[in-house]
Amino acid sequence: MNHICTWLCVDEKGEESYFPQSGKKSSSQSHQNIYWRCLIVFFITSKRFNRHEKHLLFTNAKTLPVVDGKHVSQILDDLGVKVIRTDFKYRTPKGYFGMFQNQFYEFSILEYIARNNKNPEDQYLILDSDCIFLKPADKLFAKAAENGFLSFEMDFPEDHVVHGLSRKDMKTVYEELLGQPVNEIPAYHMGEFFLASVANINKIFNDFQELWPRVYSWLKKEKIEVLHVHNWLFAASPSVFWAAKIARVPVVHTLHNYRLLCPSATLFHNGQLYLESLKRAFPWDAVFKGVYNNSKVLTFWVSFSIWLNRKLGTWDIIDRFILLSSHTKEVLEQSRLAIPANKFVIKPNFTNAVFLQEQFVPGDIFLFIGRLSEEKGVRVLLEAFAETGFHLRLIGTGPLKELVESYCDRYSHIEYLGFQGKEKIYTELKKATALVFPSVWYETFGLTIIESFAAGTPVIASKIGSAAFLIEDGVNGMHFEPGDVSDLKRRLNEWRGVETWRKKEMRNNCVNAYQQLYSPEKNRKELLGIYSRLTAPAVALGIS
C-alpha cells in the first residue's frame, strides 16, 4: 500500500517558531490557518491524480478548526483523508533556534509509522503541506521501490551554507555525535520531500532514537555567538537572519555576488555588463530581459524575494557586511541599497598554498584557470592567443568548452587540460610564465589570482572589478583593457620582453602579497577581529 501524507504541527505560546513567509509566529491562529488552507489544496490535488493511494494527515491538534467558515474535519472526511493525531515528542531545547523548530515533528510521524505498520513493503510519501500535485505520483513510488528510499538531494558545494550549516559543518557535527570519523561529506536533503518503505523508516527511526539523546545534549550545549552567512537561496534562506534577530545573535554576511542589487547576481547579461538594476526600486528591466537563467518567471521570483526582504528590513538585521574588495564597496555605495557605510568591512579571501616537493623553473607558457564562460573573457583570451602564437594552456570547464576545443584543433599552441585538482593547478602555475585573467565582469574577488600569487606567478589581468585592485601594474602583474583583444596582445608582447631579473622580482612580490594579505593566518586574524568587535560587551550591535 502506498501512502501520501502531509502534516501540520500546532505550536502553543512559549514553544513557537517564527515563519518569515507569513511574518508571524507559529502559535498565532492566522498563521496556522494559512497552512490549514494549504493542506486542503494539497489533498484536493493529490486525490485528483492519486485515487488508489491512502491519504493521511498527521497533526498534534486536539481539534481541527473552522477556516473561512468551513469545518476542516468535514472537508478531509469528504476527501477520504484519515487524520492521525500524534504528539510532538522530539522538540529542540527551548530557545535553541528561532525558526522551523516544528520540522522535528516529522520524527514523531516516523515513530508512529514504525510502531503501527508491520508491512515492510508499504511506502510513505511525506510532503510539506504547501505542495500541490500536477501529475500522478506512481513513478515516484516505483522509483523508491527499487531500494526503499527516495529523497530530494541538493547538489550544493561543500562550503555552501544553508540555515547556518554547510555540508562540511554537517560532517563535523556527525563526527562529534557519533564519536568516530565520517569518511564522506554528507549530502544535503531538502526536508520538503521524503519517500521510504516501512522497512527503511524502521531503520531510520531506530538510528534516530539511539542518537536523539546525544543530539539534544549537543543542541543544548551549543551557544551561537555570531552567525556568519555566506550564500543564501532566494526563496527561503534569508529567514536565517530573522532567526538570529529573535535569538539576539549578531550577524555577519559575506557578499560573494551582487544578488542584493540585481537578480542576475553577476551584473552581467548577454555578454556584457548589466548595471540597469543598480538604480531601480524594482528591477523590471531585468525581469523583462530574463537575466536569471534566461527566465522571466524565475527572474521575477528572485526580484520579488529580494525586494520583499528589503521592505521587511531583512538586510537591516545584518550587523556587518564583509566585502571581498574595495570595488564591491564602490558598487554598493552607488546602488539604491542604502546600507550604512559603517556596516561594511573589506576582508579579502584567502587560499592555502600548496607546497610541492619538486621545484619548477618558469617556462614560456601562459595559463588560464577558471570557468569557461562569457563573463570570464574566454573569447577575448582565445582570439588574442590565436593571433600571437604564444603557448596557452587552459584549465577548467563550462559552457564554452566546445569553443575552446575548436581553437585547440585549429591552433597547436593552444592546449586544453580540462578540469584539474589543486595540486595539478599549482604545478602548472609554478611552470607558467604568467596567469592570464581576462574577466569582463565585476568579479567580487578572484581566487585564482591569489592562488597565482601563492605560487609566485605574476598575473596579466583585465582592469575591471576586483582585479583592478588586486593587481599592481608593474609590481605583481599587468593590466589590460577589459574585452580588448588588441590591448591584451600588446601586454602579452610586453611581458615577453620583460627582463629575467625583473620577472624574478615580480614573482617575489607576488609571494610577499600572498603572505601579507591572503594567507590563512592573516584571514583568521581579520575574521576573529570582526567577530570580537561584535560580541564585545561595550559594543552596540550595528554601530562602530
Side-chain angles (χ1 to χ4, degrees):
M1 172 65 72
N2 293 330
H3 302 74
I4 294 176
C5 320
T6 190
W7 55 276
L8 195 151
C9 182
V10 175
D11 291 327
E12 302 293 337
K13 286 189 177 179
E15 59 186 27
E16 65 266 76
S17 300
Y18 176 78
F19 278 73
Q21 300 98 315
S22 65
K24 302 176 185 296
K25 292 186 177 181
S26 57
S27 60
S28 73
Q29 189 61 53
S30 60
H31 168 82
Q32 292 171 13
N33 284 349
I34 292 172
Y35 286 92
W36 287 116
R37 295 184 188 101
C38 284
L39 68 85
I40 290 171
V41 177
F42 172 94
F43 284 119
I44 289 173
T45 58
S46 181
K47 292 289 285 190
R48 178 183 179 186
F49 295 105
N50 306 291
R51 298 183 181 277
H52 302 295
E53 283 71 23
K54 193 168 184 178
H55 288 75
L56 306 175
L57 168 66
F58 289 91
T59 182
N60 66 334
K62 295 180 175 62
T63 59
L64 304 192
V66 175
V67 179
D68 302 328
K70 300 183 183 297
H71 291 269
V72 173
S73 57
Q74 185 61 55
I75 296 172
L76 296 179
D77 189 56
D78 292 343
L79 289 169
V81 177
K82 182 179 179 180
V83 179
I84 297 174
R85 290 180 173 85
T86 182
D87 292 336
F88 185 6
K89 292 177 59 176
Y90 303 101
R91 292 184 179 274
T92 53
K94 203 164 189 177
Y96 167 70
F97 195 64
M99 289 182 297
F100 310 124
Q101 295 178 65
N102 60 19
Q103 196 73 34
F104 277 76
Y105 182 66
E106 290 200 44
F107 290 108
S108 295
I109 297 172
L110 298 184
E111 180 179 30
Y112 178 90
I113 297 169
R115 297 277 187 266
N116 292 279
N117 191 326
K118 303 305 179 185
N119 187 345
E121 295 182 357
D122 276 9
Q123 296 189 106
Y124 285 79
L125 171 60
I126 304 173
L127 298 167
D128 278 4
S129 60
D130 53 0
C131 296
I132 61 172
F133 285 81
L134 299 177
K135 61 177 65 176
D138 53 343
K139 290 184 179 179
L140 289 175
F141 283 112
K143 184 67 177 176
E146 295 175 7
N147 57 15
F149 183 78
L150 195 65
S151 71
F152 180 25
E153 180 179 335
M154 292 295 289
D155 188 23
F156 290 134
E158 295 176 2
D159 294 321
H160 183 85
V161 177
V162 179
H163 293 311
L165 284 177
S166 67
R167 291 170 57 207
K168 280 185 177 179
D169 296 330
M170 289 164 60
K171 179 177 183 292
T172 302
V173 172
Y174 288 178
E175 289 176 337
E176 185 172 342
L177 292 172
L178 298 172
Q180 62 186 38
V182 174
N183 296 325
E184 296 182 1
I185 301 291
Y188 185 86
H189 296 266
M190 304 295 281
E192 295 88 346
F193 178 97
F194 175 88
L195 203 172
S197 65
V198 169
N200 276 330
I201 287 174
N202 271 284
K203 291 177 184 176
I204 293 168
F205 181 72
N206 288 338
D207 287 344
F208 168 76
Q209 196 172 33
E210 180 183 344
L211 198 57
W212 174 248
R214 278 178 275 170
V215 172
Y216 189 89
S217 298
W218 184 85
L219 293 177
K220 199 168 184 179
K221 76 177 183 180
E222 288 296 313
K223 300 296 182 184
I224 301 174
E225 295 182 38
V226 176
L227 176 66
H228 190 160
V229 177
H230 287 266
N231 294 322
W232 49 269
L233 297 174
F234 59 83
S237 288
S239 57
V240 75
F241 299 126
W242 288 98
K245 179 179 176 67
I246 292 167
R248 303 193 181 198
V249 172
V251 178
V252 176
H253 182 23
T254 298
L255 295 180
H256 293 276
N257 56 42
Y258 301 100
R259 179 78 73 203
L260 295 186
L261 306 180
C262 179
S264 69
T266 58
L267 301 181
F268 191 84
H269 180 62
N270 273 349
Q272 59 187 354
L273 284 175
Y274 177 78
L275 307 178
E276 186 66 27
S277 300
L278 295 183
K279 297 295 183 181
R280 301 290 182 183
F282 191 90
W284 285 113
D285 184 74
V287 172
F288 294 138
K289 286 184 167 72
V291 301
Y292 179 74
N293 278 4
N294 292 314
S295 167
K296 294 179 182 178
V297 173
L298 288 177
T299 303
F300 173 78
W301 176 232
V302 177
S303 302
F304 179 76
S305 175
I306 297 167
W307 174 85
L308 179 61
N309 277 284
R310 187 167 71 241
K311 290 294 183 182
L312 290 173
T314 302
W315 317 135
D316 298 333
I317 295 170
I318 300 168
D319 299 290
R320 291 293 183 272
F321 290 86
I322 292 181
L323 313 179
L324 303 179
S325 74
S326 53
H327 176 263
T328 304
K329 183 172 183 286
E330 290 180 1
V331 174
L332 286 166
E333 289 175 340
Q334 293 168 12
S335 74
R336 289 176 56 96
L337 198 56
I339 295 173
N342 65 339
K343 286 192 172 187
F344 291 143
V345 178
I346 297 173
K347 183 198 75 64
N349 267 332
F350 74 99
T351 189
N352 284 297
V354 175
F355 295 100
L356 305 171
Q357 291 185 351
E358 187 178 354
Q359 297 298 311
F360 297 96
V361 177
D364 61 355
I365 299 172
F366 293 92
L367 185 64
F368 169 87
I369 303 168
R371 177 173 161 81
L372 306 179
S373 56
E374 295 288 353
E375 71 274 9
K376 295 294 184 178
V378 171
R379 290 185 189 275
V380 175
L381 178 78
L382 294 172
E383 289 179 26
F385 274 88
E387 297 175 16
T388 61
F390 298 150
H391 194 164
L392 170 68
R393 284 180 178 166
L394 298 96
I395 294 176
T397 188
L400 296 185
K401 178 182 175 182
E402 290 186 3
L403 177 67
V404 170
E405 290 174 336
S406 70
Y407 268 79
C408 293
D409 291 339
R410 284 183 286 160
Y411 302 98
S412 60
H413 59 279
I414 299 178
E415 186 179 356
Y416 177 48
L417 304 185
F419 179 82
Q420 298 293 335
K422 199 163 188 177
E423 187 168 328
K424 174 65 173 176
I425 287 173
Y426 267 84
T427 299
E428 292 299 324
L429 280 169
K430 288 279 190 181
K431 292 159 62 175
T433 181
L435 175 79
V436 184
F437 191 86
S439 184
V440 293
W441 73 291
Y442 285 169
E443 299 262 5
T444 54
F445 193 61
L447 192 60
T448 55
I449 291 178
I450 64 170
E451 287 176 338
S452 192
F453 286 174
T457 303
V459 182
I460 301 173
S462 51
K463 193 174 183 180
I464 186 174
S466 61
F469 294 82
L470 295 174
I471 308 299
E472 291 185 72
D473 199 302
V475 177
N476 50 25
M478 289 180 169
H479 283 137
F480 65 93
E481 290 302 312
D484 191 329
V485 174
S486 297
D487 200 43
L488 174 55
K489 287 164 54 182
R490 178 180 68 85
R491 298 318 302 260
L492 292 173
N493 279 299
E494 283 184 17
W495 177 257
R496 289 293 294 266
V498 174
E499 295 181 9
T500 302
W501 68 268
R502 183 74 182 110
K503 287 181 179 177
K504 185 176 180 180
E505 185 179 73
M506 293 175 75
R507 286 181 172 274
N508 290 334
N509 292 338
C510 290
V511 174
N512 290 336
Y514 164 72
Q515 292 174 343
Q516 294 171 18
L517 301 173
Y518 311 116
S519 68
E521 295 77 18
K522 174 68 173 176
N523 179 82
R524 182 177 182 274
K525 182 178 179 181
E526 289 187 12
L527 191 58
L528 290 178
I530 294 168
Y531 293 163
S532 64
R533 287 190 290 274
L534 289 175
T535 55
V539 175
L541 298 185
I543 302 173
S544 60

